[in-house]
């Protein structure tokens, strides 16, 4: 682009140089002032056009330079706002991770008792889980901050935009699943266990997406290439749920971590398909 600009300027200067040589220098050199005046009179229409052309070129050059300066100021303003918004990602990401961890722990507390207690105790455990989750402060302001970042970025940070879009999509579905838990029929035991595992898998995907973005949100430097998309590795979800189980020191099905891994793989595939 820079080379094309230099070539254009050089071509204009050469044409102007040739014009002044032919129109002024040669007539004056060969015949003095009389020949110069006669040449100018003979070519006055052409000269008038050249003056208009030169004026138009100068006007266009000034306008282009002015527009470029205005665009650079606009671009710099967007970059500064984008960096500021990037720093605002930190708090909602941490809030989402904390909320997901809490919800998963509450779901696990309920999951381990649903096949051990009678209907009354099971219902009581379910009410405790739902009440505790509802009392937990939900992530707030994340939708506006994430949306503002995506709008400001406009393709500059495609990887980050993609992850934020995925978080917005999945966390809304995750919260919908939490809301629907109270409606699961008691006689649909297998369906209930599957729904709980599916909700946990979805929560882990959201949690890992947010975790991948935290280092990026903690720096003022534009370094989106350093974002590690570890949430794309389905094996990580088996490790994550195993860690939750170990931290709570609970006994659970041996196949439970593998089930979460398989469900997470399906959810991740659906996310990219959507």
């Amino acid at each position: 682009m820079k080379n094309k600009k230099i070539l254009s300027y050089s071509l204009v200067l050469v044409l102007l140089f040739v014009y002044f040589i032919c129109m002024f220098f040669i007539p004056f050199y060969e015949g003095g002032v009389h020949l110069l005046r006669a040449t100018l009179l003979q070519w006055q229409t052409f000269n008038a056009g050249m003056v208009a052309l030169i004026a138009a070129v100068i006007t266009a050059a000034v306008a282009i330079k002015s527009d470029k300066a205005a665009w650079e100021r606009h671009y710099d303003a967007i970059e500064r706002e984008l960096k500021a918004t990037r720093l605002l990602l930190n708090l909602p990401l941490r809030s989402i991770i904390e909320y997901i961890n809490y919800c998963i722990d509450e779901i696990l507390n309920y999951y381990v008792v649903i096949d051990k207690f009678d209907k009354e105790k099971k219902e009581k455990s379910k009410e405790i889980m739902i009440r505790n989750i509802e009392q937990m402060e939900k992530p707030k302001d994340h939708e506006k901050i994430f949306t503002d970042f995506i709008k400001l970025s406009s393709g500059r940070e495609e990887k980050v935009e993609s992850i934020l879009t995925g978080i917005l999509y999945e966390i809304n579905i995750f919260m919908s699943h939490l809301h629907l838990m109270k409606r699961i029929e008691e006689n649909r035991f297998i369906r209930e266990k599957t729904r709980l595992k599916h909700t946990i898998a979805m929560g882990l995907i959201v949690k890992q997406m947010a975790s991948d973005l935290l280092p990026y949100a903690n720096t003022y430097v534009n370094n989106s290439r350093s974002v590690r998309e570890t949430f794309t590795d389905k094996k990580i979800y088996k490790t994550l749920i195993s860690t939750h189980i170990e931290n709570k020191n609970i006994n659970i099905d041996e196949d439970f971590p593998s089930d979460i891994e398989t469900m997470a793989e399906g959810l991740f595939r659906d996310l990219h398909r959507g």
Side-chain angles (χ1 to χ4, degrees):
M1 186 70 180
K2 188 175 181 180
N3 292 335
K4 288 183 178 180
K5 186 183 296 184
I6 293 173
L7 183 61
S8 299
Y9 287 151
S10 300
L11 183 59
V12 170
L13 289 174
V14 168
L15 291 175
L16 288 174
F17 178 76
V18 172
Y19 168 72
F20 279 104
I21 291 294
C22 294
M23 189 60 63
F24 295 94
F25 181 76
I26 293 177
F28 181 78
Y29 180 78
E30 292 183 351
V33 176
H34 296 291
L35 183 58
L36 174 60
R37 183 181 300 171
T39 303
L40 291 176
L41 286 173
Q42 183 178 356
W43 292 90
Q44 60 181 339
T45 304
F46 176 77
N47 289 330
M50 285 299 297
V51 171
L53 178 61
I54 293 170
V57 170
I58 293 173
T59 302
V62 171
I64 291 172
K65 187 175 181 179
S66 177
D67 287 345
K68 181 181 178 182
W71 169 248
E72 287 177 349
R73 288 194 298 272
H74 176 67
Y75 184 84
D76 289 342
I78 291 178
E79 280 295 305
R80 288 193 296 270
E81 193 173 354
L82 184 61
K83 288 177 180 178
T85 307
R86 181 186 304 131
L87 295 177
L88 293 177
L89 294 175
N90 190 302
L91 187 59
L93 288 174
R94 291 186 182 279
S95 176
I96 286 171
I97 292 171
E98 181 181 355
Y99 179 74
I100 295 292
N101 281 334
Y102 182 87
C103 291
I104 288 175
D105 286 343
E106 288 297 324
I107 294 172
L108 285 173
N109 286 337
Y110 175 62
Y111 186 92
V112 295
V113 302
I114 55 177
D115 57 347
K116 296 178 181 178
F117 291 169
D118 56 32
K119 183 176 180 179
E120 184 178 349
K121 287 184 178 180
K122 177 183 170 184
E123 186 63 30
K124 184 68 176 177
S125 298
K126 186 176 184 179
E127 289 176 3
I128 292 173
M129 174 193 69
I130 293 171
R131 184 176 65 249
N132 288 343
I133 289 177
E134 288 178 344
Q135 288 176 350
M136 177 64 176
E137 185 178 5
K138 294 180 175 64
K140 55 185 179 181
D141 299 329
H142 66 279
E143 290 187 2
K144 183 179 185 309
I145 293 173
F146 290 1
T147 304
D148 286 348
F149 182 92
I150 292 170
K151 288 179 179 178
L152 286 169
S153 179
S154 297
R156 293 182 182 86
E157 309 280 1
E158 289 186 5
K159 186 189 296 185
V160 178
E161 291 174 37
S162 175
I163 297 176
L164 289 176
T165 303
I167 292 176
L168 287 171
Y169 176 77
E170 290 292 347
I171 197 170
N172 285 330
I173 299 179
F174 176 76
M175 289 181 176
S176 297
H177 276 234
L178 294 178
H179 180 71
L180 290 172
M181 278 184 186
K182 61 182 73 175
R183 301 182 184 178
I184 299 176
E185 299 176 16
E186 291 299 323
N187 61 347
R188 301 295 294 275
F189 175 72
I190 300 300
R191 177 185 172 188
E192 183 173 17
K193 294 186 75 173
T194 302
R195 172 83 63 135
L196 291 172
K197 287 190 285 188
H198 193 266
T199 304
I200 290 173
M202 187 174 298
L204 290 176
I205 286 180
V206 175
K207 171 186 172 181
Q208 197 57 32
M209 283 181 175
S211 299
D212 287 344
L213 282 185
L214 268 181
Y216 171 80
N218 283 330
T219 177
Y220 190 71
V221 179
N222 182 354
N223 195 22
S224 62
R225 286 177 295 181
S226 66
V227 175
R228 296 179 59 212
E229 297 177 281
T230 59
F231 69 90
T232 60
D233 181 6
K234 69 185 183 70
K235 293 181 180 178
I236 196 172
Y237 301 108
K238 186 175 182 179
T239 303
L240 286 174
I241 193 58
S242 297
T243 303
H244 269 277
I245 294 170
E246 290 169 3
N247 288 343
K248 295 187 67 62
N249 194 25
I250 58 177
N251 295 320
I252 210 161
D253 313 343
E254 291 183 5
D255 294 334
F256 191 89
S258 297
D259 291 342
I260 296 296
E261 178 187 355
T262 302
M263 288 182 174
E265 181 183 17
L267 288 168
F268 177 71
R269 190 166 52 246
D270 292 341
L271 177 64
H272 276 260
R273 187 185 299 124

